[in-house]
Amino acid sequence: QKEVEQNSGPLSVPEGAIASLNCTYSDRGSQSFFWYRQYSGKSPELIMSIYSNGDKEDGRFTAQLNKASQYVSLLIRDSQPSDSATYLCAVKGGGSYIPTFGRGTSLIVHP
Amino acid sequence: DGGITQSPKYLFRKEGQNVTLSCEQNLNHDAMYWYRQDPGQGLRLIYYSQIVNDFQKGDIAEGYSVSREKKESFPLTVTSAQKNPTAFYLCASSRGLAGVETQYFGPGTRLLVL
């Protein structure tokens, strides 16, 4: 049974700070990793995908992947109140083409 | 304007009733999926389809049925056998099932039991 673990939070950060969201996974064969943002009552929307070890940056967002340690993280720089949402980690691969989702981490950015 | 549409936004089910949730996409994606989300929970896979006229059960298929007669459409029926159907239902699609392919989600349907 593949597992994707996220701290449910809430993670509370002040406006302008860096928010760090973490995700660990159990299947060492996992190959593709995705971060989604979900506002309350809305559907998930893709923020970033990452497939190789290291960092991938897109605007204020940076995804970090460490396959040896089996974790992927999402950094949000200069956090804004509009970033307040639940962030879902999804992991794919290792013989399955269907992603496994974590339960999500709730992020609150306070002014 | 490409995307995934789901209807209705809210759906009420009476006990013993079957209800059907609609999902349509115009992204020309081959793969489509149905997920269920309960409060504070992750997404749980109900069914997925890789190609027209073919679909596979996910982790929680009992009490649900699907069809895939057209590439663009993947309706989900919640049958009376599903005893706890109240949840947020999300339809998603992707170009295929390959590892790099990304899922995109529709706006969701919230199902409530009367």
Side-chain angles (χ1 to χ4, degrees), chain B residues 9 16 25 28 30 34 48 66 69 90 98 105 108:
Chain B
K9 187 174 181 179
Q25 55 96 2
N28 199 32
D30 286 317
W34 275 104
Y48 69 98
V66 293
E69 298 177 0
L90 291 159
F105 288 86

Side-chain angles (χ1 to χ4, degrees), chain B residues 93-114:
Chain B
S93 72
S94 64
R95 285 191 303 182
L97 295 186
V100 300
E101 299 298 350
T102 303
Q103 288 184 336
Y104 298 92
F105 288 86
T109 292
R110 200 166 295 277
L111 177 60
L112 301 167
V113 177
L114 293 177

